[in-house]
Amino acid sequence: MTAQESTQREVRSSGQARPLGPARVAREHRRRRTVVVTLSLAGIALVLAVVALGLGKYPLSPIEVLEAIFVPDGGFATTVVLEWRAPRVVAALVFGAALAASGALFQSLTRNPLGSPDVIGFSTGAYTGAVIVIIAGAGTFIGTALGALAGGILTAILVYALARRGGVSSFRLIVVGIGVTAFLHALNTWMLLRAQTEVAMTASIWGAGSLALAQWSQLLPAAIILVLLIPAVAMLAGPLRQLELGDETARSHGVRVEPTRFAVLIVGVMLTAVVTAATGPIAFIALSAPQLALRLERGPGVPI
């Protein structure tokens, strides 16, 4: 039995008299494929997380890792898994998902695979904000996080304002973003050269972007903010699909184009800035993950 015949039989059995058309059958097939791919990738990620929790100078088998998680006895294995390694592994999963979602938002918004936050300047802007805070002597975790968040949002507003002339076009947004990125790179280098050696080394090490120093005290606040952003991402997914069809088509479907575009910009920047504040700027994930998801789902647009 083909997929179309199976879907039509299910519809007839549910009481609908008219069989599904080819377009609706194709949508149903894509929806099922999305669910299967998502669940499969989630399962693979969890398996890799268990394996990662067992790697290191004190190796543990997957069984020992699961025992340390679900049956903690307070021994050395529990300390290694839950206190030392778990923050890094959880940060990798949560922050990687946040960067991927941010990249998907921007690539959908710009309708361009290069439209990721690390290419059009938002990650660099978050780093600039953090560097300013560190050089000013307020380089605590909260201060750095607030600086990165403010830097990312201000950079987004600047790029949006420079690219907005009779409406924001995708090409103009990317070109302006690349230009702002170059300017911010130069500004960051100048600030680090002017700063004291110890401060410049601290900012440079943080700017390398790493999960090595991830701790629960830093991870939990960032994870809470990211969880609160999930409903905003879900609410923007529908209008964003309409924007992919073009501004005129989106307007004809009742979408407020400019407010929606600006909302996507702010939410995407906040996803990136929160990760940057916790771990430093991490490149390439926001650029590559949406394209990998697009090829796995085989849908018409970038899946968020």
Side-chain angles (χ1 to χ4, degrees):
M1 180 182 297
T2 64
Q4 181 173 352
E5 292 171 347
S6 176
T7 305
Q8 291 177 353
R9 172 175 290 185
E10 292 178 6
V11 173
R12 285 194 295 269
S13 64
S14 64
Q16 296 184 17
R18 188 173 58 184
L20 296 177
R24 190 170 178 183
V25 170
R27 287 196 301 270
E28 181 69 16
H29 178 71
R30 285 197 301 269
R31 187 187 66 82
R32 292 181 178 180
R33 181 180 179 84
T34 299
V35 172
V36 171
V37 169
T38 302
L39 293 178
S40 300
L41 292 178
I44 293 172
L46 291 177
V47 171
L48 292 177
V50 173
V51 173
L53 289 172
L55 298 178
K57 292 185 178 180
Y58 185 75
L60 296 169
S61 67
I63 299 298
E64 292 172 326
V65 169
L66 294 176
E67 289 177 351
I69 295 174
F70 296 106
V71 193
D73 58 359
F76 187 62
T78 300
T79 301
V80 169
V81 172
L82 296 182
E83 298 297 330
W84 297 353
R85 296 176 183 171
R88 296 196 297 269
V89 174
V90 173
L93 294 172
V94 175
F95 294 161
L99 290 174
S102 177
L105 286 174
F106 285 117
Q107 290 183 15
S108 297
L109 180 66
T110 60
R111 299 190 292 276
N112 193 310
L114 292 178
S116 68
D118 46 353
V119 173
I120 55 182
F122 303 145
S123 298
T124 308
Y127 178 47
T128 302
V131 168
I132 292 174
V133 170
I134 293 173
I135 292 177
T140 62
F141 171 71
I142 295 178
T144 304
L146 293 176
L149 187 61
I153 292 177
L154 290 176
T155 302
I157 294 174
L158 176 63
V159 171
Y160 184 84
L162 293 175
R164 190 177 186 276
R165 187 180 61 185
V168 178
S169 70
S170 304
F171 176 77
R172 192 184 305 128
L173 185 68
I174 293 175
V175 171
V176 169
I178 292 174
V180 171
T181 301
F183 167 75
L184 292 176
H185 274 305
L187 178 62
N188 294 340
T189 302
W190 179 80
M191 288 192 296
L192 292 177
L193 291 175
R194 298 278 295 180
Q196 296 181 358
T197 303
E198 296 80 5
V199 176
M201 290 180 63
T202 300
S204 298
I205 292 173
W206 183 86
S210 174
L211 299 174
L213 301 179
Q215 300 176 0
W216 288 121
S217 59
Q218 301 175 359
L219 172 62
L220 292 179
I224 291 173
I225 296 174
L226 294 175
V227 169
L228 294 177
L229 289 173
I230 290 177
V233 174
M235 291 174 60
L236 291 171
L240 192 58
R241 287 288 175 262
Q242 300 296 325
L243 286 179
E244 291 179 354
L245 302 175
D247 290 357
E248 294 301 325
T249 303
R251 287 193 185 95
S252 67
H253 291 169
V255 176
R256 300 176 62 190
V257 173
E258 291 303 325
T260 300
R261 184 178 283 119
F262 188 72
V264 171
L265 203 67
I266 294 300
V267 172
V269 167
M270 290 185 67
L271 289 170
T272 302
V274 169
V275 177
T276 303
T279 65
I282 298 177
F284 193 67
I285 295 177
L287 178 67
S288 61
Q291 294 303 309
L292 294 174
L294 177 62
R295 283 154 179 77
L296 288 172
E297 193 201 33
R298 299 178 186 174
V302 178
I304 300 175

